[in-house]
Amino acid sequence: MKPERHMGRPFARRARVALGPLFTLLFGIMIFQAVAAAQTRPQRIVSMNLCTDELLMRLVDPSRIASVTYLSQQSVNAPLGLDGIASKLKINHGLAEEILMQKPDLVLAGRFTAATAVNLLRQLGMHTVTIDPENTLDDMRANIRTIGEAVGESARAEQMIAEFDARLAALQAQIPPGEKPVFADIGVNNFISGENTLYTHIVNAGGYRTLGQALGFDGFRNVTLEQVLSVRPALISTATPWTSPPSISTMALRHPALRAMVEATPQITIPERYTTCGAPSALGAVELLVAARKAAAAKVGG
Amino acid sequence: MKPLIPYSLLIAGLAALVGGLAFVSMVVGPATAGTFELFSMMTHGEADTAWMIMREVRLPRTALAMLVGMSLGVAGAALQGLLRNPLADPGVVGVSPAASLGAVLALYTGVSVQMPLALPLMGIAGALLCALLLHGLARRGGVLTLVLAGVAVSSLCAALMSLALNLSPNPYAAAEIMFWLMGSVTDRSMDHVLLAGPLILLGWAILGASARSLDALSLGEEAAASLGVDLGRTRTLVVAGTAICVGAGAAVTGGIGFIGLVVPHLLRPLVGHTPSRLLLASALGGGALLLAADILVRLLMFGPELKLGVLTALVGAPFFLWLIFRARTELES
C-alpha cells in the first residue's frame, strides 16, 4: 500500500521537476530562435537591379543596405519619393568586383541584370536571389514575397501587399462605369505594349486598355504609324522625363499624320518610373489614369 | 627590307609590355570601386576578400583579355599573309559573327539562364560549324571564294542576330543580347578561361604551323608553289587556326574588332615585312593592345561600364584611318 500511496507523489514531483526545466528550455529555444532570426537576417544587402532597389528600400532599414544601383540615384526616380534614402546609400554598377568589396551577405538581382556578374558571384558562394521581370500584378506580389522572405521581412512584405491592394481597390472604386477606353502609349517608347505585360496590367488597373490590346497582340511590339492611326484613342501619353532627350518615339508624335489626332485627344504624362517595376510605385500610374477617367466622365457629364 | 630594330629585341620588348600590362590589369580596379582600393583592403585586415577578388575576378579577366587579344593579333597577321591583302581581318572569315550567333541563340532561347556555360559552349559550336563550312570551301575554291564565303557567312549571322533581336518579345532580353554583342571581358570566371583557353592554344599551334609557307607566299602564289608550298594546306591551316582561336575567344567575350586589323599594320615595318616573324610580334601586340583597352575601360568608368568592343572600335577605327592616310603613298605605289 505504501509504495502505491507514494506512487503518485514522487511521480508528480518528478514531473514538476522535469517540467520546470522543460519550460525553461522551451522558453530558451524561443528566445534563441528570435535572436538567431535577427542574426541570420541579412545585414549587408546589395541590390543590382533598379526594381529590387525600390523593393529593398521599402522593406528594410537603410542601415542593412550595403548598396543599390547607380540608377536609383538618377533624377528619373524622384517620383518614387525614395530620394532621401537612395542619396545616402552606397551604389554599385553591377560589377562583381565592386560588389565583392562591399562584402554583402545577400545579393538581389533581376533575371536579366548583369548576368555574367551574378553568375560569377553565385559561383564564388555568394547568396544571390534573382527575380523574373513581372508580367502581371500577381507576379509583382510574388516578387515582393520572395524579396521579403530573402531579407527576413516577410511580415512587412505582406503588409506592403495588403496596403497596395487596399489602395488599388480604393482607386478602382472611383473609376466611372463603362467599357475601358483606349490609352495610346505612343510617347512612352518604341515598343507598344500588348497583352500579358506589366505595363498593360497597370494601365488596365487604371481603367484603360492599351493600344496594343486594341490592336490585339501579345508582349511588346514595334507598331507602324498606320496601325497607330487605325485606333481612335481616348487618351494619349506624351513625352516623359525619360524620353526628353530626342528619341524616335517622341519624334513619331510630330508626324503630320499624327498631329491632328494628338491635338484632338486629351494627353497625360505618366513618369516612366511608375511603370518600369512591379512595385508599389505602379500605384502612381494607376492614380493618374483614374484621374484622367474621372476628368473625361466629368467633361461628358458637364 | 631591313627591320628597324633587331627581331629578338622587338619580341622581348613586346613580351615585357604584355607582362607589364597584365600586372597593371591585376592591380587596377574599376574607377567606381576605387582604383587602388584593393591595397587598402589588404592592409586593413581584409586581405581574404582582396585576394579573392584578384584570383577570381581580375585573373580571369586579365587572362581572357590577353588570350583574346593575342588570338586576334596572330590571326590578323596570318590572314593578311595568306591573302596578301592588308585589309584582311579575322572578321572576314565570318567566324566571330558565327560564334556570336551561337551565343545569342543561347541568350534568346533562355538556355543561358538554366545553364550559364551554355552561352560560351554554343558560341564555340557556332564558330566550329563556321570553320567546317569554310574548310570545305577553302579546299575546293581559291582565296577569293574563301573571302566571299566569309563575307556571306558574316552577313547571314548578322541577319539572324538581328532577327533574334527583332522577334524578342521582352525588351530586357533584347537589351541583354545587345550588350553581349558589344564585347567585354568583365566578370568572366575561370570557367570561361578553362573553356576557351585550350581551344585558343590549339588555334595558335595550327597558325604557327603555317609560318614557313606564309614566308614563301609573300613572293607570290606561283613562286611559293615552285618552292614546294602546298597552297591548299596553308589555306586550311590559316582558316582552321583562325576559326578555332578567334571563335573560341568571341564565344566568351562577344564581338571585339579592329585589333586583328590594326596590330599587324603597326608591327609589319618593325619585323622587316617577314610574315612568319609578324605572327609572334602581332600576337604580343594584340595582347598588349587589348589589355591596355581593358584597363582603360576601368579607368574611364563614370556611369555604366564602357564595353571593351565599343572602345576598341572607337579608338581603332580613327587610328586605322590615320594609318591608311599616312601609308597611302606606300600602298598605292
Side-chain angles (χ1 to χ4, degrees):
Chain A
M1 288 305 276
K2 233 177 170 186
E4 264 177 24
R5 216 186 76 199
H6 282 274
M7 200 108 144
R9 280 172 69 190
F11 180 76
R13 203 191 307 144
R14 220 180 297 143
R16 224 179 296 138
V17 168
L19 278 177
L22 189 66
F23 278 126
T24 322
L25 188 68
L26 277 176
F27 189 62
I29 287 173
M30 276 160 66
I31 291 185
F32 177 76
Q33 276 178 336
V35 171
Q39 275 172 349
T40 53
R41 219 192 269 172
Q43 298 297 320
R44 296 192 51 77
I45 309 166
V46 161
S47 163
M48 295 173 73
N49 173 289
L50 181 68
C51 299
T52 53
D53 281 356
E54 181 186 345
L55 293 179
L56 184 63
M57 286 189 280
R58 291 189 193 279
L59 281 170
V60 309
D61 189 81
S63 65
R64 287 170 58 200
I65 302 176
S67 74
V68 291
T69 67
Y70 72 100
L71 297 166
S72 276
Q73 288 188 344
Q74 291 178 344
S75 53
V76 270
N77 294 296
L80 302 189
L82 291 169
D83 281 3
I85 302 174
S87 63
K88 288 192 197 89
L89 292 173
K90 280 194 176 176
I91 53 165
N92 69 69
H93 298 75
L95 292 181
E97 195 169 310
E98 287 176 318
I99 288 158
L100 286 170
M101 281 183 186
Q102 290 163 349
K103 296 177 126 194
D105 48 10
L106 173 66
V107 176
L108 303 175
R111 177 77 65 214
F112 295 102
T113 34
T116 37
V118 176
N119 287 332
L120 180 59
L121 290 171
R122 192 173 291 149
Q123 212 179 327
L124 295 177
M126 199 135 278
H127 182 207
T128 59
V129 171
T130 47
I131 58 162
D132 282 311
E134 302 87 358
N135 287 327
T136 63
L137 293 179
D138 270 338
D139 287 354
M140 177 204 81
R141 293 184 187 99
N143 278 347
I144 294 177
R145 281 196 183 98
T146 307
I147 302 279
E149 200 180 323
V151 302
E153 296 286 356
S154 288
R156 222 161 145 180
E158 291 304 329
Q159 190 193 340
M160 187 196 268
I161 294 168
E163 276 168 17
F164 177 90
D165 287 339
R167 205 45 221 302
L168 184 63
L171 283 169
Q172 286 184 322
Q174 300 172 31
I175 299 174
E179 207 180 304
K180 290 188 172 98
V182 174
F183 166 55
D185 39 14
I186 351 169
V188 174
N189 58 40
N190 251 343
F191 286 115
I192 300 280
S193 175
E195 292 289 354
N196 298 321
T197 71
L198 179 70
Y199 186 87
T200 295
H201 281 276
I202 294 174
V203 170
N204 292 167
Y208 283 91
R209 283 185 299 147
T210 63
L211 189 59
Q213 280 179 307
L215 293 169
F217 60 78
D218 246 40
F220 288 93
R221 225 180 250 187
N222 267 108
V223 169
T224 61
L225 194 56
E226 247 175 76
Q227 284 174 296
V228 171
L229 289 169
S230 71
V231 179
R232 187 112 196 96
L235 185 68
I236 291 182
S237 156
T238 53
T240 64
W242 196 266
T243 46
S244 53
S247 84
I248 298 169
S249 57
T250 51
M251 301 253 289
L253 285 170
R254 274 184 237 131
H255 194 282
L258 259 183
R259 204 179 293 145
M261 182 178 96
V262 170
E263 277 167 11
T265 316
Q267 295 175 13
I268 187 178
T269 303
I270 300 180
E272 173 107 2
R273 195 55 190 75
Y274 283 158
T275 54
T276 31
C277 292
S281 53
L283 285 171
V286 175
E287 204 171 312
L288 288 170
L289 288 165
V290 170
R293 275 291 304 264
K294 276 157 68 181
K299 213 169 162 190
V300 172
Chain B
M1 217 185 291
K2 202 175 151 38
L4 295 170
I5 45 172
Y7 181 61
S8 52
L9 199 66
L10 175 74
I11 294 301
L14 284 171
L17 187 64
V18 171
L21 285 166
F23 175 76
V24 175
S25 167
M26 290 295 289
V27 167
V28 167
T32 50
T35 308
F36 298 109
E37 180 67 27
L38 232 50
F39 295 106
S40 68
M41 285 178 87
M42 280 186 190
T43 50
H44 287 85
E46 294 183 61
D48 286 354
T49 313
W51 281 119
M52 197 251 277
I53 288 173
M54 281 250 187
R55 211 173 45 234
E56 305 288 350
V57 183
R58 291 199 191 159
L59 186 61
R61 178 177 194 160
T62 304
L64 278 177
M66 199 160 82
L67 287 171
V68 170
M70 289 178 82
S71 297
L72 291 168
V74 70
L79 279 166
Q80 291 181 6
L82 173 74
L83 304 176
R84 280 167 298 128
N85 184 333
L87 288 176
D89 166 276
V92 298
V93 296
V95 65
S96 301
S100 295
L101 177 64
V104 165
L105 286 178
L107 290 169
Y108 180 71
T109 55
V111 185
S112 63
V113 172
Q114 311 303 323
M115 187 189 141
L117 282 183
L119 189 137
L121 283 173
M122 284 176 72
I124 287 170
L128 293 181
L129 272 177
C130 170
L132 275 178
L133 178 76
L134 291 172
H135 170 71
L137 287 166
R139 237 183 357 187
R140 255 172 273 151
V143 163
L144 192 65
T145 322
L146 181 66
V147 173
L148 290 177
V151 170
V153 170
S154 298
S155 309
L156 181 66
C157 291
L160 289 171
M161 284 187 275
S162 301
L163 184 69
L165 279 171
N166 196 173
L167 294 181
S168 175
N170 179 339
Y172 300 104
E176 195 193 19
I177 292 175
M178 231 141 58
F179 278 121
W180 196 86
L181 286 175
M182 289 179 193
S184 166
V185 292
T186 306
D187 293 341
R188 299 323 192 247
S189 70
M190 280 321 268
D191 285 353
H192 291 100
V193 180
L194 294 176
L195 208 61
L199 283 169
I200 288 177
L201 295 179
L202 176 69
W204 292 356
I206 296 173
L207 286 175
S210 72
R212 294 252 162 269
S213 316
L214 290 179
D215 278 348
L217 256 177
S218 65
L219 302 168
E221 288 200 357
E222 280 166 30
S226 73
L227 285 170
V229 169
D230 180 347
L231 286 175
R233 181 176 164 275
T234 310
R235 264 202 295 274
T236 305
L237 285 178
V238 172
V239 171
T242 301
I244 293 172
C245 70
V246 174
V252 287
T253 63
I256 292 171
F258 274 101
I259 303 260
L261 189 61
V262 171
V263 170
H265 273 282
L266 271 177
L267 295 171
R268 190 168 288 117
L270 298 179
V271 296
H273 297 260
T274 315
S276 63
R277 290 184 159 187
L278 187 60
L279 289 185
L280 182 57
S282 278
L284 292 170
L289 198 58
L290 200 57
L291 277 169
D294 187 46
I295 293 166
L296 204 60
V297 156
R298 280 174 257 177
L299 295 178
L300 288 179
M301 202 176 149
F302 304 115
E305 196 187 49
L306 201 58
K307 295 286 174 188
L308 190 54
V310 176
L311 184 77
T312 57
L314 216 56
V315 175
F319 179 73
F320 188 63
L321 271 177
W322 173 76
L323 211 62
I324 297 170
F325 199 68
R326 207 192 53 172
R328 73 190 191 284
T329 43
E330 198 184 308
L331 284 173
E332 282 168 14
S333 62

